[in-house]
Amino acid sequence: MKDVKSMPTAVIREDESSSGTFQASASSVEAGFFCWEIATGEVSCDPLTLALHGMPENGPSDILSFLAAVHEGDLANVRDALGLIAESCGNYQIEYRVTSDEGRHRSLEARGRVLPGADGLPARMVGVVMDTTAVHERHEAERRRLYERATRDRWMQELTAALAAAVTVKDIMAAAQAGLRTFGADALAVIAPEEDRLTVIASCADDKQGDDSPRALDTTARTLVEASLDRRAPVLIGSGDALITGYPHLAPLARSAQQAWAALPLTDSRGRVSSCLVSFPEPQEFLPEERALLVAAMGLLAQSLERAGMYESEHALATELQRGMLPRGPLTVPGVTIAARYQAATSGMWIGGDWYDAISLPDGGVALVIGDVQGHSVHAASLMGRLRTAVHAYANEGHPPAAVLERTNRLLAELNTDPDRALFATCCYIALTPSDGTLRVCRAGHPAPALVTPRKPPRLLEIPGGLPLGIDREERYPTTRLRIAPGSVLALTTDGLLEAVNKDIDQGIERFLQGLRGAPTANLQTVVDDLLAGTQEAHGLGDDVALLLARLDRPGRRS
């Protein structure tokens, strides 16, 4: 049925090439004849015209009675059209709706000609009225079909782009979830056979279902998935009745919330077969075009899930390799409480060169170290391991902070013999004497450490520094000396945490300092976890992060 606003109300044309005849806009329609005397308002018509307007066979025969039958949404337009028709002679066409006693709408189309009287002015209107409800419904169905097709084509383009960009299973299922409603579905699950059982390896549900995505398989789902795996072909069940017909033993379960199902086998590059089960809250026809689109979409999903699995496996391996280069177990130093974390932010084998360390010094102090090698690669990670070992060795030899950085700088400059593979690194080195709180601090292009003292807000220390390691072999690094009170906390981090807030270093520092409030009396393990989790949840981590907090214990308190 046409929308009222888009429905033409009247078209009046002088037909100079014909003798006043006209063609109906649709064949196979019933037509009633009528004549309206414009001056008196009297209408002469056949019984069919009355019936089309929902009026009895012996009903009234004036124009007002016919107008009373017009749908209120079209009435004003019809009145305006009749006013125009009464002003000039010619052919005309009017489309409008009437409402039956059952509340249903019927679309009508009136066509004919306005004839002049003896004075040449419009005197009567003669023509036919046709029921065009079926025509409008076909047009509406075709419009809806084209709209749905365009929507699904657009979603396929968006899904393809989203799956191409997604690198994790979580991202992929989020992209799939966005398209569930396009297909009229409410849940999707990818199921794989593992030994003698079926396991849900990924799932999502429509937003209306909240977090009710399928994680465990009911009898219906298990049966359809097993059938698709056995046949290596799609299993499409369009209704509860179709489910009972194909699988009689599922009859007690056929009246569930789901009314249609599609189980589609998926094959990965290694020949392993899984199945994607899509459920629908309403019966489905599964027309050929819809089936083809659904199969194509699930094929894209399968490829993306396989790729994500490989990425995540590689990433887990790379992360473990990198963690193996960092200190193992908790960092324990007499008189100092330490909490440290490393968190990778990249995918696949591209790993970073962030590191931290706490080194017991020969004089009874502790060296707190944090560093960041340029870039993300296996080369960067391996270089990080060599630098960490070098710093550890120079510190154990008893060299002061400046000498440790200068020796490490010369080592990296000597390693950078290939300009195409040359990398530089930043580092911050703090030698802390727990007995009196004395600090000796050196920086090589690294962000300054933060200090949190009891009853004072966190702040960055003003520490002059030198160039990053590996740039100038003869670079010298100034040493800053200061003393901190018991209960104070030193916080060292890499730029991955500070630049997580829209790459804005100032906003990142502000968020970092805000997260350190309360650190002098808090559990430092909780503080570092909260700093990482809060930043990742709000902004994501676009770079690897190393974070180390160290609190100078009060006398008599164990670290």
Side-chain angles (χ1 to χ4, degrees):
M1 185 176 297
K2 289 189 176 180
D3 183 78
V4 175
K5 293 182 179 179
S6 64
M7 183 181 295
T9 56
V11 178
I12 305 175
R13 297 185 300 273
E14 291 293 343
D15 192 346
E16 299 178 354
S17 61
S18 68
S19 58
T21 60
F22 60 89
Q23 298 292 328
S25 62
S27 58
S28 301
V29 294
E30 293 183 299
F33 296 86
F34 74 93
C35 174
W36 170 41
E37 298 292 339
I38 296 176
T40 64
E42 181 181 357
V43 177
S44 302
C45 61
D46 62 357
L48 179 56
T49 299
L50 293 170
L52 291 176
H53 290 80
M55 300 166 63
E57 186 174 344
N58 58 351
S61 56
D62 60 89
I63 192 64
L64 294 179
S65 299
F66 280 94
L67 288 175
V70 175
H71 186 278
E72 61 180 5
D74 298 345
L75 184 57
N77 288 339
V78 171
R79 288 182 181 276
D80 292 342
L82 292 180
L84 293 173
I85 289 171
E87 294 177 357
S88 61
C89 298
N91 295 336
Y92 68 88
Q93 173 187 337
I94 307 175
E95 295 181 9
Y96 57 95
R97 294 172 297 172
V98 296
T99 306
S100 66
D101 293 337
E102 296 80 16
R104 297 184 60 186
H105 300 318
R106 174 182 294 160
S107 296
L108 300 179
E109 180 179 310
R111 288 191 172 217
R113 187 172 183 81
V114 177
L115 303 176
D119 56 2
L121 298 176
R124 67 176 59 85
M125 185 166 66
V126 296
V128 296
V129 177
M130 296 169 288
D131 187 346
T132 57
T133 303
V135 175
H136 285 300
E137 289 177 347
R138 286 197 301 271
H139 290 170
E140 176 63 20
E142 178 66 12
R143 186 199 64 80
R144 187 165 52 249
R145 187 187 70 81
L146 292 175
Y147 173 78
E148 291 174 353
R149 178 178 179 178
T151 300
R152 288 174 177 170
D153 287 347
R154 184 179 66 252
W155 176 76
M156 277 296 291
Q157 295 174 357
E158 294 173 351
L159 176 65
T160 302
L163 292 181
V167 294
T168 67
V169 172
K170 181 179 179 182
D171 294 339
I172 290 169
M173 297 314 293
Q177 181 179 8
L180 283 176
R181 195 173 300 172
T182 303
F183 280 102
D186 62 356
L188 177 151
V190 178
I191 301 145
E194 294 183 357
E195 298 178 352
D196 296 331
R197 58 191 178 88
L198 296 174
T199 302
V200 177
I201 60 176
S203 63
C204 63
D206 183 74
D207 293 336
K208 295 180 180 179
Q209 286 194 333
D211 195 35
D212 293 337
S213 54
R215 294 182 177 85
L217 299 178
D218 59 21
T219 304
T220 300
R222 188 178 301 277
T223 299
L224 300 181
V225 168
E226 289 174 346
S228 72
L229 293 174
D230 291 341
R231 301 175 191 174
R232 297 292 181 96
V235 174
L236 305 174
I237 304 297
S239 65
D241 292 338
L243 181 67
I244 296 172
T245 301
Y247 305 90
H249 67 285
L250 297 178
L253 307 174
R255 305 306 174 194
S256 65
Q258 281 72 38
Q259 294 298 309
W261 301 262
L264 305 143
L266 309 174
T267 304
D268 65 15
S269 60
R270 300 181 183 179
R272 296 174 299 188
V273 181
S274 57
S275 181
C276 183
L277 181 67
V278 186
S279 62
F280 302 81
E282 302 293 338
Q284 301 293 312
E285 292 186 49
F286 293 121
L287 299 174
E289 183 178 344
E290 295 173 344
R291 293 177 57 175
L293 195 60
L294 194 59
V295 170
M298 295 309 104
L300 287 173
L301 182 66
Q303 294 175 8
S304 298
L305 286 174
E306 181 181 10
R307 185 183 70 248
M310 291 188 293
Y311 268 119
E312 291 185 351
S313 296
E314 292 175 352
H315 186 46
L317 174 60
T319 301
E320 287 305 311
L321 288 174
Q322 189 167 24
R323 290 186 189 280
M325 301 180 190
L326 297 174
R328 293 183 177 273
L331 301 175
T332 56
V333 176
V336 182
T337 298
I338 299 175
R341 294 287 187 278
Y342 165 78
Q343 185 161 317
T346 53
S347 299
M349 291 299 292
W350 295 105
I351 52 180
D354 294 22
W355 91 90
Y356 62 82
D357 210 345
I359 307 167
S360 296
L361 300 176
D363 62 1
V366 58
L368 306 173
V369 187
I370 196 149
D372 183 0
V373 177
Q374 168 197 12
H376 293 83
S377 65
V378 175
H379 178 48
S382 64
L383 185 59
M384 173 270 287
R386 299 175 73 174
L387 293 182
R388 175 177 172 260
T389 301
V391 170
H392 211 285
Y394 295 142
N396 280 326
E397 290 177 355
H399 296 291
V404 171
L405 290 189
E406 288 163 6
R407 283 169 167 76
T408 306
N409 174 56
R410 285 196 293 270
L411 172 64
L412 182 55
E414 292 169 0
L415 292 174
N416 284 337
T417 56
D418 184 353
D420 295 332
R421 293 174 57 85
L423 297 176
F424 64 84
T426 65
C427 185
C428 181
Y429 185 104
I430 300 178
L432 168 63
T433 304
S435 60
D436 60 5
T438 299
L439 299 179
R440 290 172 294 164
V441 187
C442 279
R443 285 198 307 130
H446 200 85
L451 176 65
V452 193
T453 56
R455 295 179 297 279
K456 289 186 178 180
R459 61 185 176 90
L460 290 183
L461 293 176
E462 295 183 2
I463 306 295
L467 293 174
L469 306 174
I471 295 179
D472 181 358
R473 190 178 185 280
E474 303 302 325
E475 178 72 3
R476 294 292 180 263
Y477 298 95
T479 300
T480 300
R481 299 173 182 270
L482 62 154
R483 179 174 294 179
I484 60 174
S488 299
V489 175
L490 292 164
L492 299 86
T493 188
T494 53
D495 57 6
L497 184 67
L498 301 180
E499 294 180 353
V501 185
N502 303 321
K503 297 294 183 180
D504 188 317
I505 191 71
D506 293 330
Q507 291 185 41
I509 291 174
E510 182 179 351
R511 185 183 182 89
F512 177 54
L513 296 177
Q514 185 68 27
L516 292 173
R517 290 182 177 273
T521 57
N523 184 319
L524 292 188
Q525 304 294 339
T526 301
V527 175
V528 293
D529 287 339
D530 290 346
L531 277 169
L532 290 175
T535 302
Q536 186 169 30
E537 180 180 354
H539 303 279
L541 294 176
D543 194 0
D544 294 4
V545 171
L547 176 62
L548 184 148
L549 304 186
R551 180 169 55 213
L552 180 62
D553 293 334
R554 298 180 185 278
R557 179 178 177 180
R558 287 189 176 186
S559 62

